Amino acid sequence: MAAVEAGERGAGKPAGPAWRGGFGRLWAAAVVSRFGDALRGAALPLLAVSLTDSPVLVSLVTACGFLPWLLFGLIGGAIADRVDQRRAMWAVDGVRAVLMAGFAVAVWLDRAGIGLLLALAFALTTLQTLFDNAATALLPSVVGQQALGRANARLLTGQEVMGRFVGAPLVPVLLGLGAAMPYAADAATYLAAAALVASLGAAPHERAPRPPGGSLRRDIAEGLTVLWRDRTLRALCASTTLCNIGIGALIATLVLHITGWLDAGNTGYAAVITVYGIGSVAGGLVAARLTERLGRVRALVVCGTAQIGALAVLGAIRSLPVAVAAMGLFGFAGIVWNVTEVTMMQQRSPDGALGRVSSAFRTLSIAGTPLGALLGGVMAQAWGFNTPALGAAALFVCGVAALVPGMRSVIN
């Protein structure tokens, strides 16, 4: 496969995706769905704590958000390449709306137990493996190859704004109206997203679904083979996996770092999380222009290096203002990395295989997050609450080092 960046810096400015038509509705569906996810994501842990005093059971609710990716992620990608991706997306959202509406009724009737919470989290994430892979595979046919970078940036930025600054802060208001309200609202967002995706017309260059013949095992193997044989995607996946181990360690212990090591309390923790979100949104706003100016490979290296510096400063300097600034930079660089990563995967995957390549990439890289969470807990307990941030910095160094050799063919 030809290097996607050959001549990129000398080319004219890529066209942005048109808001009218397919992309506008796809963007709206993604943002509305993220709003509902934020409501549920903030409300479920509070409900779990009210139902059980077991830390293990509470943590299992979060674990169920990762486990289906490891079990079914590859299958979801294979199915996404076989079916009409638009229909798969609106059908999945329809099923998720029914599940959430049923759960809202159970909460309203005071019939929701911890077992139902675990089953719901597992089922929703299992369905998400098909939805996310279908969405990744559908986007290139909606906006075209030249507009992918800007389209991904707008999608991720919209989702970040809606999730962090609209959805999550609204949860206390909804809970004040009734314990079931966040879940009922989430069900409504799934219905709205399903209607938006169902209204999409056929894209000009949309590929036909794969014929149903052949085995899912062979389809999955083909996706893994494409990922392995593309040196650039293989390096990017290895790098992302290493970085995700570090991110898992950081996320799992950040509250201990801020409230314990920095002694900044809940207010300090809220400040860090807020500025991290602001940094992420700012990164999304400039991600496309930054990668067009630097080139995708240089953007990845610069962002990875910036995150190394932010993590090292976070773990070494005992100051709340420094921690706030470091997490803002970490969020900024992280969103630019994510936009670049998804765009490169979409551009380098062969027609008809993007769903499977995407699922292989996601499954392998997501596996690092729960491993990192466990590692972070062990480090914090053994050596201090600031050591997970330093360990994450070391893992990011390894991630950037793993990235560079596979990118030489793209630069040259």
Side-chain angles (χ1 to χ4, degrees):
M1 179 178 295
V4 292
E5 293 206 4
E8 180 183 77
R9 298 183 67 185
K13 181 180 178 181
W19 285 105
R20 290 185 178 182
F23 176 70
R25 278 174 280 183
L26 190 62
W27 182 91
V31 170
V32 167
S33 184
R34 179 67 183 94
F35 171 71
D37 290 344
L39 296 178
R40 185 183 71 253
L44 268 184
L46 297 175
L47 181 59
V49 170
S50 72
L51 293 173
T52 179
D53 57 1
S54 169
V56 174
L57 289 177
V58 172
S59 65
L60 279 177
V61 175
T62 301
C64 284
F66 290 106
L67 185 58
W69 275 105
L70 305 182
L71 297 177
F72 307 118
L74 294 173
I75 297 174
I79 295 174
D81 278 339
R82 286 186 172 216
V83 300
D84 184 310
Q85 290 147 358
R86 292 167 300 156
R87 291 180 180 177
M89 290 169 66
W90 67 252
V92 164
D93 266 352
V95 174
R96 292 197 286 189
V98 171
L99 290 176
M100 283 308 307
F103 184 74
V105 171
V107 173
W108 179 54
L109 296 175
D110 200 21
R111 300 284 185 179
I114 192 68
L116 183 59
L117 258 72
L118 295 173
L120 176 75
F122 189 89
L124 290 176
T125 305
T126 299
L127 290 166
Q128 188 179 355
T129 63
L130 173 57
F131 183 94
D132 285 0
N133 287 314
T136 300
L138 177 64
L139 185 62
S141 66
V142 174
V143 303
Q145 291 287 327
Q146 293 300 314
L148 276 175
R150 291 173 178 262
N152 283 315
R154 291 176 183 178
L155 280 169
L156 290 177
T157 303
Q159 289 175 316
E160 192 73 21
V161 170
M162 189 60 70
R164 290 189 182 275
F165 301 113
V166 181
L170 191 59
V171 168
V173 177
L174 292 176
L175 288 174
L177 299 175
M181 287 302 296
Y183 312 108
D186 191 19
T189 63
Y190 279 132
L191 285 177
L196 285 164
V197 174
S199 71
L200 287 173
H205 306 293
E206 187 170 4
R207 62 106 179 109
R210 285 170 58 85
S215 67
L216 283 175
R217 181 181 297 179
R218 186 176 66 185
D219 285 354
I220 290 170
E222 288 176 359
L224 289 168
T225 299
V226 171
L227 179 61
W228 176 256
R229 289 181 177 174
D230 188 302
R231 186 179 179 186
T232 298
L233 290 182
R234 185 174 74 232
L236 185 56
C237 183
S239 177
T240 303
T241 301
L242 288 166
C243 292
N244 278 350
I245 297 173
I247 290 171
L250 181 68
I251 291 173
T253 59
L254 185 61
V255 65
L256 299 174
H257 183 107
I258 302 301
T259 62
W261 192 65
L262 293 181
D263 195 23
N266 293 338
T267 302
Y269 181 68
V272 167
I273 294 300
T274 300
V275 173
Y276 171 79
I278 293 172
S280 298
V281 171
L285 292 174
V286 304
R289 291 191 294 273
L290 188 62
T291 55
E292 287 162 13
R293 180 178 294 273
L294 296 177
R296 303 203 189 283
V297 174
R298 292 181 180 86
L300 287 171
V301 174
V302 168
C303 288
T305 303
Q307 289 183 296
I308 292 168
L311 289 167
V313 166
L314 179 67
I317 301 178
R318 210 164 192 165
S319 164
L320 179 60
V322 169
V324 168
M327 287 303 294
L329 175 60
F330 189 78
F332 179 94
I335 203 73
V336 177
W337 176 291
N338 290 341
V339 168
T340 307
E341 167 198 300
V342 173
T343 303
M344 290 184 71
M345 181 169 55
Q346 289 167 329
Q347 291 179 330
R348 297 188 69 89
S349 298
D351 288 342
L354 179 52
R356 288 167 289 160
V357 175
S358 168
S359 69
F361 193 107
R362 280 192 173 102
T363 299
L364 293 171
S365 60
I366 285 175
T369 307
L371 175 61
L374 177 61
L375 177 64
V378 172
M379 292 178 67
Q381 182 170 337
W383 300 301
F385 293 158
N386 65 314
T387 55
L390 297 174
L395 284 161
F396 268 73
V397 170
C398 296
V400 172
L403 178 72
V404 173
M407 298 294 169
R408 288 175 181 167
S409 61
V410 180
I411 297 173
N412 296 333

